[in-house]
Amino acid sequence: MKRVFVFFLAIFLLTGCGAKPAEPEIAVVSTTAAATVPETTETVPEETVPPMIYADQLAEGVYEITVDSSSSMFRVVHCQLTVSEGSMTAAMTMSGDGYGMVYMGTGEAALAADEASYIPFTLTETGAKVFTVPVEALNQALDCAAWSISKEKWYDRTLVFESVALPQEAFVQE
């Protein structure tokens, strides 16, 4: 009897009855230049990348903008762009209070830099930390190192100050 049970159990397992469905295969697409792309007759629209915007292309003023951060641990919840005298600065209000200062560059560069180039925070009336940083151009990836208070080390971040929220009147009319 035991042999019959083992036999039927083996048949059951070998035929896949009761087996979990196979995981779907996931295709990995290489983004290297050597990758080949299959020919297609469909027209695929190019991805629209906004052009870099410089201070001389904007009217002086203060504008609400968005900031894309490479890290969810460095989350900007509010940002005001100030355009004045041919330059731009961004006042970034942070979601948390874990960072004590920032440096516009990499963490390695921050270690070698003079501490006077570190950017400290200011506090809002509600206690939120705000870092006011220079902005070379909008829609450009900029290196920003953030000093972790608890870990006592620099973390590399990449920030993109986005122009998408700017009103049309922010742009200089030629």
Side-chain angles (χ1 to χ4, degrees):
M1 183 73 172
K2 196 174 191 180
R3 282 186 175 173
V4 173
F5 176 74
V6 171
F7 175 75
F8 283 114
L9 179 62
I11 296 293
F12 181 78
L13 293 175
L14 289 174
T15 61
C17 294
K20 293 182 183 177
E23 291 291 321
E25 290 186 29
I26 299 173
V28 177
V29 179
S30 173
T31 58
T32 63
T36 59
V37 178
E39 289 187 35
T40 180
T41 57
E42 294 179 37
T43 305
V44 178
E46 284 187 25
E47 219 177 288
T48 306
V49 177
M52 287 190 281
I53 306 291
Y54 297 92
D56 64 353
Q57 296 173 283
L58 298 173
E60 289 197 1
V62 178
Y63 307 100
E64 303 293 322
I65 62 169
T66 56
V67 181
D68 182 37
S69 172
S70 62
S71 171
S72 62
M73 299 301 290
F74 191 88
R75 192 164 64 94
V76 179
V77 294
H78 182 256
C79 188
Q80 282 192 319
L81 178 74
T82 300
V83 181
S84 179
E85 299 178 9
S87 64
M88 297 184 287
T89 58
M92 302 182 297
T93 304
M94 308 307 296
S95 65
D97 61 357
Y99 296 106
M101 56 191 145
V102 297
Y103 175 81
M104 294 311 288
T106 64
E108 187 176 327
L111 286 171
D114 181 5
E115 288 186 26
S117 61
Y118 300 165
I119 301 167
F121 63 85
T122 58
L123 290 175
T124 65
E125 295 151 3
T126 61
K129 288 186 175 179
V130 177
F131 293 100
T132 301
V133 299
V135 177
E136 183 180 318
L138 301 179
N139 306 324
Q140 175 186 22
L142 300 172
D143 289 329
C144 178
W147 177 258
S148 169
I149 296 169
S150 64
K151 302 288 185 184
E152 295 186 347
K153 67 185 232 180
W154 290 101
Y155 285 92
D156 287 334
R157 306 296 187 225
T158 302
L159 304 177
V160 177
F161 297 91
E162 299 171 328
S163 68
V164 68
L166 289 174
Q168 190 60 38
E169 57 269 10
F171 294 91
V172 173
Q173 304 302 317
E174 295 179 11

